[in-house]
Amino acid sequence: MLPEEQVDTIFEGFRHSAFRLETLDYYHVGSDGGDVARYLAGEPEPDPDRKGPWLTQLRHEREAGKLRHRVHVLRTPLTDYLRYECEWGYLPNAAAGEEIHILDLSEHRLPAEVEPLEDFWLMDDETVLRMHYDERGVYVGASLAEDVVPYRRSRDAALTASTSFGAWWNRHPEYWRANQQESEKPSPA
């Protein structure tokens, strides 16, 4: 595994594009700042002191012509964590300039180029950080891939097979927290 300082330098040093392939139904990472628990408890929004600087960074990257984009490979029905990620992660991130796509395996087949299915970052088409998580979704580290070509193919195939997050999310209002809360209200007698 790479030292975290080296991982941070790679993340912060991209010049043109940073692509992320996500494959897990749950990420247990400290960077959420407790927002998962807040979301599940019905709080109205993410912690603005934590989320605000990230959204500012995304806007600045976009204004500078940098592309940050991702595909999350998932399968419906969504876990509570994925609902959180969509509403408190993807919605504000997309509004701030990140391009987010969903490859829903309930709707589409996984392209052969995306296998083996693993989390990674592809920075500037030159550097691949393979992201490693344990069985609970806890981040354990990152390693460099020697050959970037399979990861470029994986990115291209995942993007081609996926749907923009906005279009996908609008087709699935059953996962919106507001609709979940409405369905939990007792019906009038």
Side-chain angles (χ1 to χ4, degrees):
M1 298 294 167
L2 297 173
E4 280 308 303
E5 306 82 44
Q6 186 176 359
V7 173
D8 292 343
T9 299
I10 293 169
F11 279 134
E12 294 165 6
F14 83 95
R15 298 176 313 281
H16 306 290
S17 68
F19 172 79
R20 171 82 159 114
L21 186 72
E22 293 179 303
T23 66
L24 301 180
D25 290 337
Y26 184 83
Y27 291 90
H28 185 75
V29 293
S31 62
D32 75 36
D35 274 346
V36 175
R38 294 179 73 242
Y39 175 84
L40 295 174
E43 295 290 326
E45 64 183 20
D47 176 3
D49 291 335
R50 184 197 65 78
K51 189 71 174 179
W54 175 245
L55 297 176
T56 298
Q57 179 179 335
L58 289 175
R59 284 190 290 277
H60 288 157
E61 288 174 358
R62 193 58 166 195
E63 291 165 2
K66 293 181 174 183
L67 173 62
R68 185 179 292 270
H69 56 152
R70 76 178 63 222
V71 173
H72 196 137
V73 179
L74 54 77
R75 182 179 304 278
T76 53
L78 296 183
T79 63
D80 287 343
Y81 178 85
L82 288 175
R83 287 188 313 102
Y84 150 78
E85 192 169 53
C86 287
E87 288 193 291
W88 281 19
Y90 297 162
L91 281 172
N93 287 7
E98 182 178 4
E99 291 183 14
I100 301 166
H101 303 265
I102 301 295
L103 177 48
D104 186 341
L105 297 180
S106 302
E107 300 172 358
H108 303 282
R109 287 186 30 223
L110 183 67
E113 297 86 356
V114 181
E115 296 185 49
L117 193 57
E118 67 176 315
D119 281 52
F120 68 87
W121 281 92
L122 175 59
M123 312 302 277
D124 293 321
D125 273 359
E126 299 169 357
T127 305
V128 175
L129 281 171
R130 298 174 62 227
M131 307 302 289
H132 304 281
Y133 299 89
D134 71 12
E135 64 281 348
R136 296 171 298 136
V138 174
Y139 172 73
V140 295
S143 61
L144 290 172
E146 291 183 23
D147 185 1
V148 300
V149 174
Y151 294 92
R152 289 179 190 156
R153 287 186 190 129
S154 180
R155 176 209 48 210
D156 294 347
L159 284 167
T160 298
S162 65
T163 304
S164 74
F165 169 71
W168 181 85
W169 187 243
N170 287 334
R171 283 199 325 264
H172 292 284
E174 69 272 22
Y175 297 118
W176 304 357
R177 185 167 68 169
N179 292 342
Q180 299 255 327
Q181 291 169 341
E182 283 297 315
S183 69
E184 293 170 3
K185 289 182 180 176
S187 58

